[in-house]
Amino acid sequence: MGFFGHLFRLARVGWVLARHDAFPPPEDEASLPLSARAGLGLAKVIATKSHGNGKLSAALAELGPSYVKLGQFLATRPDIVGPARAAELRTLQDRLPPFAMAMARQMVKANLGRDADEIFTTFGPPVAAASIAQVHRATTQDGRDVAVKILRPGIEQRFARDLSDFFFAARLIERMSAPARRLRPVDATETLAQSVKLEMDLRMEASAIKEMAANVADDPGFRVPKVEWQLTARQVLTTDWIEATPLSDMAALQAQGLDLNRLADTVIQSFLRHAIRDGFFHADMHQGNLFADRQGNLIAVDFGIMGRLNPKERLFLAEILHGFIIRDYARVAQVHFDAGYVPASQDPAVFAQALRAIGEPIMDRPAHEISMARLLTQLFEVTGQFDMTTQPQLLLLQKTMVVVEGVARMLNPHFNMWSASEPVVRDWIEKKLGPLGQIEGAAEGAASLGRLFTTLPEMLGQAQAATHMLADMATAGGIRLDKETTEALAAAQARHSRAGRYALIAGAAALIAIALTLIF
């Protein structure tokens, strides 16, 4: 029944999109493969367009929190979805229908052990409602204004079901398409699942806020809220109240006379400091989660999705960005090979040539003259040409880089990401690869060598035990499989293959009108 449940829910995605008339216009469909155009045509014929308003945001909201997340991402890309649709999708960020106050009070009591009226002198209606939670303004007993974030009731179960569908679709796609296999959709879905698991526990978000607060204590123009630990639990998070304007409200930002160009630079530079310097970054930096106070400081909220990079990944990222900035494409290519992102069988010089073809057209040009849709298409083509596989550990980083660039462009249509990035990247490169960085690296290497020597006796003992075990197995004749066992394994494999063929036939019709539709 689970198999058919997946098919039914995936088919419903196409149905809902058609019912809201949210499919791409005919001129955009012309570039899709024939099979995809056929699937879209079928979905439009069988669906009754009872809404017919062309609202992609309404379709995604109806489909649930996972699809709302997709809409939040597309809202930052007006150059891909168009200004009108981008403006429409921004309503998904913090203006979704809230759940009832009575349920919010129940959640507070269940998590904090007391009624909301006993904890707060005031507990107001929701001021923002998003896909995962909603936020209430309240006042503590000692008179402090706070923000109380409460998970939507039943959200854990809903996300678990959606993720199960995503895993089903990802496995099906990998079996149907060799080119898609290179993109590792199952691993990508696993990365999403892990991030969602953390997002469902607001104590983890509180911990993330505290860690980032320590990291950014001396950073210019960026700050985070303060956590009220005594009023925080698994489904409730309380922080101090932020008096600021969301970046999604451009009119209010302009009315306050804020320097939007400087704010755009702060968005990019703050993200790069967190990712490259700290290896810990906010991975959901859309304009609904970013605010500006009257002094022009950037304030981030909603730390449910965070990304981490290990030291090597941070160095690779910095060197790649720095190489693009100074147009050293040979170095950028070599870093890709050193990191294992490009197979060793490829030619670094040819790969550098491909990177130059992508990088040169966008250098020294304002953002409004660059088609990000075309750039993303080129990058995708290059990954295919050089047999590059998706790096799941970098998915959050790649997604966030695109999102923050979109936010910066919204603030400053003439924004140049490379110019804004250069000071942060250059300073970090000089620190890590300069004399002080070399001394620090040598000290870390010596410490690692010392730890290796302390564990050497234990490692040798384990190796000796493993040797004895293998010798005992060989003396006993090894591990054997009798005829009955091998026949049972063969029969199980045959059943698995037949089920796989049925899945390909049944699932293709359900998936064909979904993935490409959500992208275009």
Side-chain angles (χ1 to χ4, degrees):
M1 292 301 294
F3 171 81
F4 292 104
H6 291 310
L7 291 181
F8 175 79
R9 287 189 292 270
L10 290 171
R12 178 177 172 270
V13 174
W15 177 279
V16 171
L17 290 170
R19 192 157 54 85
H20 286 273
D21 196 18
F23 285 119
E27 58 269 23
D28 290 343
E29 293 180 21
S31 62
L32 299 179
L34 178 61
S35 58
R37 294 201 301 272
L40 289 174
L42 177 62
K44 291 181 178 181
V45 169
I46 65 175
T48 302
K49 297 178 182 178
S50 59
H51 295 282
N53 55 12
K55 293 291 187 181
L56 180 59
S57 59
L60 296 179
E62 182 176 334
L63 288 169
S66 304
Y67 298 94
V68 168
K69 287 289 185 186
L70 175 63
Q72 292 172 349
F73 165 74
L74 293 176
T76 69
R77 306 311 307 178
D79 52 335
I80 295 177
V81 300
R85 179 144 281 182
E88 171 207 338
L89 291 175
R90 288 184 196 125
T91 62
L92 295 172
Q93 290 170 352
D94 56 8
R95 293 192 293 273
L96 291 180
F99 55 88
M101 281 288 291
M103 181 59 69
R105 290 177 176 275
Q106 289 179 22
M107 297 284 282
V108 169
K109 183 174 183 179
N111 281 267
L112 302 183
R114 291 181 292 162
D115 289 334
D117 291 338
E118 297 178 27
I119 302 172
F120 307 106
T121 58
T122 63
F123 185 75
V127 295
S131 58
I132 301 295
Q134 66 186 32
V135 177
H136 299 253
R137 184 170 185 171
T139 306
T140 62
Q141 294 292 343
D142 57 0
R144 291 176 294 111
D145 288 336
V146 293
V148 183
K149 181 177 181 178
I150 306 173
L151 284 186
R152 285 184 175 273
I155 191 65
E156 296 97 331
Q157 295 79 5
R158 181 63 183 271
F159 246 110
R161 191 190 71 184
D162 287 346
L163 286 170
S164 178
D165 290 341
F166 290 170
F167 274 115
F168 173 82
R171 288 191 293 267
L172 197 60
I173 290 170
E174 283 197 357
R175 298 179 65 177
M176 292 175 63
S177 171
R181 209 169 296 133
R182 177 180 59 83
L183 300 178
R184 300 165 67 181
V186 172
D187 289 341
T189 306
E190 179 61 33
T191 301
L192 172 64
Q194 291 301 318
S195 68
V196 168
K197 182 179 179 180
L198 295 177
E199 194 173 6
M200 295 300 169
D201 188 339
L202 296 184
R203 295 168 299 187
M204 295 297 292
E205 180 174 349
S207 179
I209 296 174
K210 184 66 175 179
E211 181 176 350
M212 179 157 283
N215 291 342
V216 305
D218 299 323
D219 285 2
F222 185 90
R223 65 188 182 95
V224 300
K226 178 183 176 182
V227 175
E228 298 287 341
W229 286 100
Q230 300 303 316
L231 301 177
T232 293
R234 189 174 68 85
Q235 296 175 309
V236 175
L237 166 65
T238 305
T239 66
D240 61 334
W241 180 261
I242 299 296
E243 285 293 349
T245 303
L247 297 196
S248 56
D249 192 346
M250 287 290 293
L253 295 174
Q254 293 169 343
Q256 294 176 27
L258 297 178
D259 186 342
L260 300 188
N261 293 347
R262 187 176 72 84
L263 200 55
D265 289 346
T266 302
V267 170
I268 291 293
Q269 292 175 356
S270 296
F271 163 70
L272 289 175
R273 286 191 189 96
H274 306 159
I276 297 176
R277 181 193 66 193
D278 307 325
F280 185 62
F281 60 92
H282 192 308
D284 200 18
M285 289 182 68
H286 61 73
Q287 53 265 60
N289 285 340
L290 297 174
F291 293 74
D293 63 20
R294 292 191 174 276
Q295 291 72 44
N297 295 311
L298 185 68
I299 306 168
V301 300
D302 194 357
F303 289 77
I305 303 179
M306 305 298 294
R308 289 189 185 274
L309 299 175
N310 65 40
K312 285 187 177 180
E313 290 164 350
R314 289 151 58 187
L315 182 59
F316 291 146
L317 170 62
E319 289 205 76
I320 288 171
L321 290 176
H322 190 248
F324 267 112
I325 290 170
I326 66 175
R327 303 184 184 186
D328 186 351
Y329 300 105
R331 179 57 188 156
V332 175
Q334 189 58 52
V335 171
H336 277 78
F337 279 85
D338 292 343
Y341 300 156
V342 184
S345 58
Q346 300 294 329
D347 187 341
V350 178
F351 185 61
Q353 182 180 351
L355 293 175
R356 185 183 299 275
I358 295 174
E360 285 300 314
I362 65 174
M363 293 299 175
D364 301 326
R365 293 180 60 189
H368 70 280
E369 295 181 6
I370 301 171
S371 169
M372 289 303 297
R374 189 180 304 117
L375 176 62
L376 291 173
T377 300
Q378 284 182 290
L379 288 170
F380 181 80
E381 290 173 350
V382 165
T383 63
Q385 292 169 1
F386 291 88
D387 197 25
M388 298 169 62
T389 59
T390 297
Q391 303 295 320
Q393 75 276 17
L394 300 180
L395 287 176
L396 282 177
L397 174 73
Q398 294 164 344
K399 169 250 189 185
T400 309
M401 287 184 70
V402 174
V403 169
V404 295
E405 193 271 346
V407 173
R409 176 184 288 193
M410 179 197 69
L411 295 168
N412 176 14
H414 299 279
F415 177 78
N416 187 309
M417 181 171 178
W418 303 110
S419 298
S421 303
E422 194 270 341
V424 175
V425 176
R426 184 191 65 243
D427 290 348
W428 195 83
I429 286 287
E430 290 176 352
K431 176 183 177 183
K432 284 297 180 183
L433 300 184
L436 291 178
Q438 297 296 327
I439 294 173
E440 180 182 337
E444 291 176 355
S448 298
L449 187 60
R451 287 191 295 271
L452 175 63
F453 277 115
T454 61
T455 59
L456 189 57
E458 180 182 355
M459 294 169 59
L460 290 175
Q462 292 173 348
Q464 184 179 21
T467 302
H468 287 312
M469 182 178 66
L470 291 173
D472 292 341
M473 290 170 58
T475 303
I479 299 175
R480 300 179 182 276
L481 293 177
D482 58 29
K483 181 179 179 181
E484 182 180 352
T485 303
T486 55
E487 288 178 350
L489 289 173
Q493 178 60 35
R495 290 193 299 271
H496 178 74
S497 298
R498 286 196 298 274
R501 288 193 293 271
Y502 297 151
L504 293 180
I505 295 171
L511 293 173
I512 200 168
I514 299 175
L516 290 174
T517 298
L518 292 175
I519 294 174
F520 284 91

